[in-house]
Amino acid sequence: HSTFYWEGIDGSRCLVHFPPADTYGSDASVHDVHKSETNMKDKGRSSQSLLLYGYGDGGGGPTEDMLERLKRMRNVEGLPKLVFESPSKFFVGIEERGECNQLVTWVGELYFELHRGTYTSQAQVKQANRKCEVLLHDIEFLAAIAKFESCGLELSSDIYPKEELLRLWKLLLLDQFHDVLPGSSIREVYVDVMGHFKEIQTAGNNLLSSSISAVTSKSTQGHSDRLYPVVVNTLCWDRQEVIDASHLLTAVAQHASPSLPLIQITGDGHSLEMP
């Protein structure tokens, strides 16, 4: 489709247009103008399309020659009629002409088949990006559980930090711009981006700790004198892994009891149960 509604998993919709000329840097040629009409996939539903012309990617925009060609093609037999207007006016026009009721709705992800994976010259950016994605996922997972378990309990109203999560997600998505991940931006961009990732990880780890505490608080109520090591699987499949618990040794020693044996890990990695 060229003009349609895109519905997300939350049910919200937005009006979408894919310019039929299949370019965002047209040279305003007769070929591109003609293709804007012949390649329009929703002729029976919408009567107009956009032609994005000019040198893009910071190339300087349209030239005088491009503008002159478009002026001469405004009313030429065999070509669509041309008008100069802004993208916002284009979308308003779709609504004013009553074409919205005729448009189809695409539900779910729009996957671009030619964008399968991204090579990069900035490995640390892709690594930090993925770590931040996992971190924000885990926060949402645990905060949602904590919110569910808090029903009827006198816990903080911000147990699910919606606004802060939204801020961090927007910051992360900003850094997923298509010139950032592959390494085709200038150096100053990556200085800013790595600072963004550090901010997300710092704020995210604080939220993660709060969410973990909220999830475990219910199960440990009435047993504040006992140590309860908790392992949380935030994925949707069973996992069997080795967990490094060496950082818990001090806490275990302080809370050692007959029901929780003291474990010492030797230098070669073996575990010994202390009497």
Side-chain angles (χ1 to χ4, degrees):
H1 296 283
S2 298
T3 305
F4 58 97
Y5 278 104
W6 184 14
E7 182 175 313
I9 59 176
D10 63 346
S12 61
R13 298 197 309 169
C14 63
L15 188 56
V16 177
H17 179 71
F18 287 162
D22 287 337
T23 179
Y24 58 82
S26 170
D27 60 357
S29 64
V30 172
H31 173 271
D32 286 347
V33 171
H34 186 252
K35 186 177 180 180
S36 294
E37 179 182 26
T38 58
N39 197 42
M40 175 65 172
K41 299 179 175 63
D42 295 277
K43 291 189 182 72
R45 303 182 180 92
S46 185
S47 59
Q48 292 187 1
S49 65
L50 282 176
L51 175 66
L52 307 181
Y53 57 92
Y55 293 109
D57 279 348
T63 64
E64 291 184 10
D65 289 341
M66 294 177 188
L67 294 174
E68 182 62 28
R69 282 198 295 272
L70 291 172
K71 288 179 181 179
R72 294 186 180 190
M73 287 187 284
R74 281 188 293 187
N75 192 16
V76 175
E77 185 176 352
L79 293 177
K81 294 186 181 300
L82 302 182
V83 294
F84 292 92
E85 65 181 23
S86 65
S88 58
K89 189 174 181 180
F90 166 79
F91 285 107
V92 170
I94 294 175
E95 298 174 343
E96 291 179 344
R97 292 190 299 274
E99 297 174 351
C100 295
N101 295 333
Q102 304 177 59
L103 299 178
V104 299
T105 299
W106 181 278
V107 180
E109 183 177 5
L110 280 173
Y111 186 80
F112 299 101
E113 290 79 5
L114 300 180
H115 293 70
R116 293 180 179 272
T118 303
Y119 292 105
T120 185
S121 62
Q122 301 286 335
Q124 75 276 15
V125 170
K126 285 198 68 176
Q127 181 186 53
N129 170 75
R130 184 57 183 149
K131 285 185 175 181
C132 288
E133 285 182 329
V134 172
L135 176 60
L136 294 181
H137 163 272
D138 289 351
I139 295 169
E140 294 221 46
F141 177 86
L142 292 167
I145 293 177
K147 184 69 173 179
F148 177 78
E149 290 187 340
S150 67
C151 296
L153 299 178
E154 294 183 1
L155 296 177
S156 173
S157 59
D158 61 350
I159 193 170
Y160 186 90
K162 178 181 177 181
E163 296 302 323
E164 180 66 355
L165 275 172
L166 183 61
R167 184 185 74 85
L168 296 178
W169 269 118
K170 286 184 175 180
L171 187 58
L172 179 59
L173 292 174
L174 172 66
D175 295 332
Q176 292 183 355
F177 178 71
H178 68 257
D179 278 324
V180 173
L181 292 180
S184 50
S185 295
I186 60 177
R187 177 184 178 275
E188 287 78 3
V189 170
Y190 295 105
V191 173
D192 291 343
V193 166
M194 294 309 295
H196 294 167
F197 288 141
K198 184 176 181 180
E199 179 182 349
I200 293 171
Q201 290 173 336
T202 299
N205 283 326
N206 290 333
L207 294 179
L208 185 66
S209 297
S210 299
S211 296
I212 292 175
S213 298
V215 169
T216 58
S217 62
K218 184 177 181 180
S219 60
T220 58
Q221 284 182 345
H223 303 282
S224 57
D225 59 330
R226 303 279 295 278
L227 179 65
Y228 285 85
V230 177
V231 178
V232 180
N233 178 19
T234 58
L235 300 179
C236 57
W237 59 84
D238 294 338
R239 299 160 61 189
Q240 186 173 6
E241 300 178 17
V242 176
I243 298 176
D244 180 8
S246 57
H247 60 288
L248 295 176
L249 286 178
T250 301
V252 170
Q254 293 175 349
H255 293 80
S257 67
S259 60
L260 186 62
L262 178 62
I263 304 296
Q264 178 178 340
I265 302 178
T266 62
D268 57 1
H270 294 290
S271 298
L272 302 176
E273 181 172 335
M274 308 300 291

